[in-house]
């Protein structure tokens, strides 16, 4: 029999790729998304292929009578530009919205996966970060609405697992990139592409020595799917282990776009982590997962998307 999945945030960047992935595996997919940062066009090609879009806010009571085998919760604005403009909404979505979905999973006996983030490690004092690290998060900083929402989301997930016998999974997603990112969403990959393609200086906050690792979206989605199918109820890091200095990454974007833009260094952002790289031993051991797509290949596909 066909499996059914509810994907909250399925019209967003990662969510829409996950819906592609599930559809290819013959799932019946329902997307719930209020389109606050997502776009209908991300799943437009699937809507005529049996995927259903419910335009609704997960913070409101879910009027969903049907049961799903699997619930994926990817609903949350995730870009730093959103942290400034809708902090209360982000906090509420991570807490009330996630709780609504956990209640739905509890009522129906569904398995539920929470998309957490590397931001739960804050500005890490341990490097690379494995899942046992508790993190170094500023609860009053500019990123707090997102970081703390995800931390509470993980706590809720753990409570529903231990005390309400809900079958839960948690992934901690590190920087991910690829087609369907919003060009103006302020994250480093679209930002650099946008600036390079417009011939504007690439803006770097700080001295550019800070490092990031970038995972291509198809690899990430495979990791999310494998986590859902696995027996692991503990959080699993998903991300690339190849670390790049932000200024070197900017140079790579300039090379690929054949742009003659310069680099412009701006003051460092408060609480912006200096180093971030996952330890993915757990994913390798339990899921047999590691990213496959080389950075240059992934960036070329992303460039093609942004160029169109
Ligand atoms: N992209 C990354 O590098 C990254 C890293 C770590 C974690 N994550 C997590 O992965 C998930 C997806 O991120 P993304 O990059 O695809 O972001 P995105 O903004 O493209 O997607 C989020 C989707 O959720 C929807 N949404 C937000 N709040 C909602 C609500 N209350 N009710 C219904 N729909 C709502 C948005 O409209 C959007 O379609 C998020 O939970 C994010 O925290 C992403």
């Amino acid at each position: 029999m066909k499996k059914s999945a509810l994907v909250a945030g399925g019209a967003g960047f990662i969510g829409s790729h996950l819906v592609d992935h599930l559809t290819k595996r013959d799932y019946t997919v329902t997307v719930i998304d209020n389109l606050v940062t997502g776009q209908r066009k991300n799943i437009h090609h699937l809507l005529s292929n049996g995927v259903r879009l419910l335009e609704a806010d997960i913070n409101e009571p879910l009027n969903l009578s049907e049961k799903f085998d699997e619930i994926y919760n990817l609903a949350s604005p995730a870009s730093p530009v959103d942290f400034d403009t809708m902090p209360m909404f982000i906090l509420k979505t991570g807490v009330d919205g996630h709780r609504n979905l956990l209640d739905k999973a509890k009522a129906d006996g569904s398995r539920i996966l929470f998309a957490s983030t590397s931001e739960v490690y804050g500005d890490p004092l341990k490097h690379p970060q494995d899942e046992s690290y508790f993190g170094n998060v500023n609860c009053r900083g500019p990123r707090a609405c997102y970081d703390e929402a995800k931390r509470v989301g993980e706590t809720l997930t753990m409570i529903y697992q231990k005390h309400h016998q809900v079958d839960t999974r948690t992934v901690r997603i590190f920087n991910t990139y690829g087609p369907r990112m919003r060009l103006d969403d302020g994250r480093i990959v679209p930002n650099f592409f946008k600036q390079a393609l417009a011939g504007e200086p690439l803006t770097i906050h700080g001295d550019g020595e800070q490092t990031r690792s970038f995972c291509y979206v198809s690899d990430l989605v495979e990791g999310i799917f494998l986590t859902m199918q696995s027996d692991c109820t503990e959080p699993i890091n998903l991300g690339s282990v190849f670390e790049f200095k932000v200024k070197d990454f900017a140079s790579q974007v300039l090379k690929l776009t054949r742009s003659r833009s310069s680099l412009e260094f701006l003051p460092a952002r408060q609480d912006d982590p200096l180093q971030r790289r996952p330890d993915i031993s757990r994913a390798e051991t339990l899921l047999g997962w590691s990213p496959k797509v080389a950075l240059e290949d992934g960036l070329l596909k992303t460039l093609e998307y942004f160029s169109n």
Side-chain angles (χ1 to χ4, degrees):
M1 212 170 85
K2 269 187 154 193
K3 271 190 165 182
S4 59
L6 175 68
V7 182
F13 158 51
I14 298 174
S16 63
H17 287 278
L18 177 65
V19 177
D20 278 331
H21 194 88
L22 293 170
T23 309
K24 281 184 198 136
R25 275 151 194 80
D26 211 25
Y27 276 63
T28 304
V29 182
T30 300
V31 168
I32 182 165
D33 199 304
N34 66 350
L35 305 180
V36 62
T37 54
Q39 307 179 78
R40 180 179 280 270
K41 72 168 187 186
N42 288 343
I43 51 168
H44 183 74
H45 59 292
L46 298 168
L47 295 178
S48 51
N49 274 339
V51 171
R52 191 161 61 113
L53 169 63
L54 303 175
E55 251 187 81
D57 185 340
I58 59 163
N59 298 328
E60 302 300 326
L62 304 171
N63 293 316
L64 274 170
S65 52
E66 68 259 56
K67 296 182 179 181
F68 302 93
D69 297 309
E70 298 173 0
I71 300 176
Y72 296 82
N73 182 12
L74 287 96
S76 170
S79 158
V81 294
D82 304 323
F83 305 166
D84 254 352
T85 54
M86 46 177 136
M88 271 312 293
F89 177 79
I90 292 173
L91 195 56
K92 196 169 164 54
T93 298
V95 181
D96 297 350
H98 185 48
R99 191 163 178 199
N100 279 338
L101 291 170
L102 284 164
D103 282 333
K104 173 79 180 147
K106 180 181 167 188
D108 296 348
S110 314
R111 183 175 286 187
I112 180 167
L113 177 142
F114 180 55
S116 183
T117 169
S118 57
E119 295 278 340
V120 298
Y121 301 124
D123 188 0
L125 305 175
K126 181 178 182 187
H127 199 72
Q129 298 85 50
D130 64 41
E131 293 87 349
S132 67
Y133 179 51
F134 292 161
N136 177 38
V137 175
N138 176 359
C139 66
R140 294 171 52 86
R143 310 170 82 89
C145 62
Y146 181 69
D147 301 3
E148 298 294 2
K150 292 291 186 179
R151 289 173 71 92
V152 176
E154 285 205 24
T155 306
L156 281 168
T157 307
M158 178 273 295
I159 291 172
Y160 272 70
Q161 181 198 309
K162 284 206 173 132
H163 300 282
H164 300 279
Q165 290 71 51
V166 176
D167 191 12
T168 69
R169 302 289 180 272
T170 301
V171 289
R172 292 183 180 154
I173 302 171
F174 284 65
N175 279 7
T176 302
Y177 72 99
R180 303 186 196 152
M181 294 189 94
R182 285 177 297 151
L183 200 54
D184 60 352
D185 92 348
R187 283 182 272 188
I188 184 168
V189 175
N191 220 28
F192 283 172
F193 272 114
K194 181 180 164 189
Q195 292 167 331
L197 291 171
E200 293 166 3
L202 272 60
T203 47
I204 296 176
H205 291 267
D207 58 9
E209 292 285 324
Q210 68 271 36
T211 64
R212 294 291 181 273
S213 59
F214 301 97
C215 184
Y216 189 65
V217 66
S218 61
D219 280 331
L220 178 83
V221 159
E222 176 75 21
I224 291 176
F225 181 73
L226 289 173
T227 302
M228 185 61 117
Q229 310 312 314
S230 78
D231 292 330
C232 183
T233 54
E234 295 295 308
I236 300 187
N237 284 341
L238 295 177
S240 166
V241 295
F242 296 107
E243 209 172 349
F244 293 88
K245 288 183 181 171
V246 166
K247 64 178 187 188
D248 295 340
F249 181 66
S251 303
Q252 183 139 7
V253 170
L254 290 179
K255 193 177 115 201
L256 288 178
T257 53
R258 300 200 178 120
S259 168
R260 303 176 79 166
S261 296
S262 57
L263 303 185
E264 185 182 345
F265 293 88
L266 302 176
R269 282 195 175 117
Q270 190 193 338
D271 298 336
D272 201 20
L274 291 179
Q275 266 189 316
R276 191 175 277 163
R277 174 160 65 91
D279 179 326
I280 58 165
S281 311
R282 184 175 283 174
E284 285 175 327
T285 310
L286 299 183
L287 312 177
W289 178 90
S290 60
K292 301 279 178 297
V293 179
L295 184 68
E296 185 159 343
D297 295 340
L299 286 177
L300 279 171
K301 287 184 189 157
T302 310
L303 171 62
E304 193 184 319
Y305 174 79
F306 285 143
S307 303
N308 291 330

